[in-house]
Amino acid sequence: MLILKENIKSIIETTDDELDFFLGKCSNKKFKKKEFLSSANSIPNEVFFIEKGLVRVLLNNSKGAEITSFFAGENQFISNYSAFLSKKPNPYAIQALEKTEVIVLSREAIEWGYNNMKEGNKLGRLIAEYYFIQFEYRILDQYLLTPKERYENIEKVFPNINQRVPQRMIASYLGISPVHLSRIKKEI
Amino acid sequence: MLILKENIKSIIETTDDELDFFLGKCSNKKFKKKEFLSSANSIPNEVFFIEKGLVRVLLNNSKGAEITSFFAGENQFISNYSAFLSKKPNPYAIQALEKTEVIVLSREAIEWGYNNMKEGNKLGRLIAEYYFIQFEYRILDQYLLTPKERYENIEKVFPNINQRVPQRMIASYLGISPVHLSRIKKEI
């Protein structure tokens, strides 16, 4: 849990005591490739911090087609955060794309942090703001960039993603067909 | 500023003293129809709380076409929040669609709140989380609902929007052509 600890220390003022108590409420968990960290249409009660591995967020659209909407890798938080926050189920699921090791931050641990850590709410605010910005820029890219430019950007956002993920998932994430993606790759 | 005061009181524990000091740092501003609250490619230093009126968020896409990406009305906060938070300019602008009266929450006021209000960071966290959820559900709707269903939903999200906004902006918000929108309206 060292990296998560350093990560939190870089964001807020905290003490080792406070952090150790918080992390004592968190647990480690391993997932096999293809296993689900979080299933669709349920209310998740945790946020994951990825220590090792890679996951994707997916859902089935109105036509029953599977969409890959997001990837997350080492040292990133991932959660069906809107379902976690609103306590309302939604169709998003989270699946491991490699053997994945995570720290599980349970709702209880997170709420303990808000109520007891001196800057717990500040941490929560900065994390929510960070993901809000990520979201906004992803939408902005769809308005402003061509599929080719977005493909070229994907490596910056998710290093080595091309070597780690099937092309059909990358195409789905970019909102284009696999045929369109292979045409773009030939062009480059 | 009464409604904003009640609004904040309903979200966090605070005192009249704390709130009066905070609101003392805020100011009232009026905008004419078509006037810009916030211009594209600038770094905004404020969040607006709309007391009266209606605004839209807009941008020009890569082909130079104007897109309406969001609306906000009475008793809602609106800001180019990602540019405000990241202090990086982006192409979003905010324009009044009617005579609009807002409370301006300056960066200075907001930072004062984080540093001095007992639950200032909690307020910031809950607001960022709220807008995160809104964002996520808007993206989810695009995956799960047909344009017709999204059109039928728009009144729930923005009451009376159909009477207040040109149809071409509603079509743009829904991501469909004005012709497609008028076909949907004939069907209903």
Side-chain angles (χ1 to χ4, degrees):
Chain A
M1 299 195 178
L2 246 178
I3 290 177
L4 176 56
K5 203 168 166 173
E6 290 309 313
N7 217 303
I8 294 174
K9 274 184 176 176
S10 74
I11 304 176
I12 56 165
E13 263 184 61
T14 180
T15 62
D16 278 325
D17 273 5
E18 215 182 54
L19 265 184
D20 289 342
F21 207 96
F22 174 70
L23 293 173
K25 293 180 169 289
C26 300
S27 56
N28 292 92
K29 205 164 173 182
K30 291 182 187 186
F31 293 92
K32 291 177 200 150
K33 187 173 172 171
K34 293 193 178 174
E35 208 177 338
F36 283 84
L37 287 74
S38 183
S39 56
N41 304 314
S42 62
I43 300 174
N45 284 305
E46 58 279 306
V47 170
F48 303 102
F49 181 79
I50 303 173
E51 291 197 304
K52 213 181 147 194
L54 186 69
V55 306
R56 65 167 175 149
V57 179
L58 69 153
L59 81 162
N60 288 308
N61 72 7
S62 54
K63 290 165 188 155
E66 186 190 280
I67 310 277
T68 294
S69 75
F70 205 72
F71 299 104
E74 278 88 7
N75 304 330
Q76 292 186 303
F77 291 99
I78 191 74
S79 170
N80 181 348
Y81 204 39
S82 53
F84 174 87
L85 292 171
S86 64
K87 296 187 184 170
K88 285 181 195 153
N90 67 35
Y92 289 111
I94 304 173
Q95 185 184 32
L97 296 176
E98 301 173 352
K99 268 201 243 176
T100 296
E101 297 178 19
V102 301
I103 299 172
V104 181
L105 293 80
S106 65
R107 189 184 294 279
E108 191 215 331
I110 291 169
E111 279 173 4
W112 181 88
Y114 290 153
N115 293 323
N116 297 283
M117 285 169 72
K118 199 179 144 232
E119 297 199 336
N121 275 297
K122 183 175 176 182
L123 179 64
R125 171 172 71 79
L126 293 172
I127 291 176
E129 288 175 357
Y130 174 82
Y131 285 100
F132 179 89
I133 293 170
Q134 297 289 100
F135 236 146
E136 180 112 295
Y137 279 98
R138 193 169 157 212
I139 293 172
L140 204 51
D141 281 355
Q142 285 176 350
Y143 286 132
L144 298 180
L145 304 180
T146 63
K148 189 179 166 188
E149 289 166 327
R150 286 190 286 127
Y151 174 73
E152 289 171 331
N153 269 350
I154 197 173
E155 276 278 341
K156 291 180 204 158
V157 184
F158 304 108
N160 300 318
I161 192 88
N162 273 296
Q163 286 76 54
R164 297 169 78 180
V165 168
Q167 292 302 300
R168 66 183 163 81
M169 290 182 195
I170 294 179
S172 173
Y173 171 81
L174 294 172
I176 60 178
S177 71
V179 174
H180 191 167
L181 177 59
S182 70
R183 212 183 313 138
I184 287 172
K185 291 177 79 173
K186 266 179 214 148
E187 268 178 54
I188 292 171
Chain B
M1 299 194 178
L2 246 178
I3 289 177
L4 176 57
K5 204 167 167 177
E6 290 310 312
N7 217 305
I8 294 174
K9 275 184 174 175
S10 73
I11 305 175
I12 56 164
E13 265 184 60
T14 180
T15 61
D16 278 325
D17 273 4
E18 215 181 54
L19 266 184
D20 288 340
F21 209 95
F22 173 70
L23 293 174
K25 292 180 170 292
C26 299
S27 56
N28 292 91
K29 206 165 171 181
K30 290 183 187 185
F31 293 92
K32 290 177 204 152
K33 187 173 174 173
K34 294 192 177 176
E35 208 178 339
F36 283 85
L37 287 73
S38 182
S39 56
N41 304 314
S42 62
I43 300 174
N45 284 306
E46 59 277 306
V47 170
F48 303 101
F49 180 79
I50 303 173
E51 290 196 304
K52 213 180 148 196
L54 185 70
V55 307
R56 65 169 177 150
V57 179
L58 69 154
L59 80 164
N60 287 309
N61 73 6
S62 55
K63 289 164 189 155
E66 185 190 280
I67 310 277
T68 294
S69 74
F70 205 72
F71 298 103
E74 277 90 6
N75 303 330
Q76 293 186 304
F77 291 100
I78 191 72
S79 170
N80 182 347
Y81 204 40
S82 53
F84 174 87
L85 293 171
S86 65
K87 296 185 185 171
K88 283 179 196 155
N90 68 33
Y92 288 111
I94 304 174
Q95 185 185 32
L97 296 176
E98 301 174 351
K99 267 201 242 177
T100 295
E101 297 178 20
V102 302
I103 299 173
V104 182
L105 293 80
S106 66
R107 189 183 294 280
E108 190 215 332
I110 291 168
E111 279 172 5
W112 181 89
Y114 291 152
N115 293 324
N116 297 284
M117 284 169 74
K118 199 179 145 234
E119 298 199 335
N121 276 296
K122 183 175 176 183
L123 179 64
R125 172 173 71 79
L126 293 172
I127 290 176
E129 288 175 358
Y130 174 82
Y131 285 99
F132 180 88
I133 294 171
Q134 296 289 99
F135 235 146
E136 180 111 295
Y137 280 98
R138 190 166 161 212
I139 293 172
L140 205 51
D141 281 354
Q142 285 177 348
Y143 285 132
L144 299 180
L145 303 181
T146 63
K148 190 180 166 188
E149 288 166 328
R150 286 191 284 127
Y151 174 72
E152 288 171 331
N153 269 349
I154 198 173
E155 276 276 341
K156 291 181 203 158
V157 183
F158 303 108
N160 301 319
I161 192 90
N162 272 296
Q163 285 75 54
R164 297 170 76 179
V165 167
Q167 292 301 301
R168 65 183 164 80
M169 290 182 192
I170 294 179
S172 173
Y173 172 81
L174 294 171
I176 60 178
S177 70
V179 176
H180 190 167
L181 178 58
S182 70
R183 213 183 312 137
I184 287 172
K185 291 177 79 174
K186 267 181 213 149
E187 268 177 56
I188 292 171

